[in-house]
Amino acid sequence: GSALCSASFDKTLLLWSHYHNHPNTGWDDDDDNVPRTTTASTGETSGSSSTYENYNVLTGHKNAVLDCRWMDNETIVSAGAGKNGLPS
């Protein structure tokens, strides 16, 4: 699978694992015959679907988180509403 990060107005960043399900089975791609816990699912596309599982919640923003970006495989930067900390 792969990971994605989403920004939220509840002051958090959510980290999600992405799994591509085989058509008509609901099983993941690594063929270990273990179904994945589904917390969000996209619509059907060509007989297959994608499953997203929330695996971490990052906190620390004092206001809504407006945007986030992966800088590399381990680093996420985020921008929140409110004061920007720059001198006036």
Side-chain angles (χ1 to χ4, degrees):
S2 58
L4 65 90
C5 183
S6 62
S8 178
F9 280 92
D10 70 359
K11 307 176 194 175
T12 64
L13 295 162
L14 300 175
L15 298 180
W16 301 87
S17 293
H18 174 246
Y19 303 99
H20 180 75
N21 296 329
H22 293 292
N24 304 319
T25 65
W27 302 100
D28 64 33
D29 283 339
D30 60 10
D31 294 328
D32 61 2
N33 293 326
V34 177
R36 294 294 181 189
T37 302
T38 303
T39 56
S41 184
T42 63
E44 293 288 322
T45 304
S46 300
S48 65
S49 66
S50 294
T51 301
Y52 297 88
E53 181 180 10
N54 177 239
Y55 68 89
N56 203 351
V57 178
L58 304 176
T59 60
H61 276 273
K62 295 186 186 329
N63 294 300
V65 184
L66 303 176
D67 198 7
C68 59
R69 297 280 191 259
W70 288 93
M71 297 302 291
D72 56 37
N73 287 336
E74 298 178 357
T75 308
I76 299 169
V77 294
S78 59
K83 296 181 180 181
N84 60 13
L86 298 175
S88 51

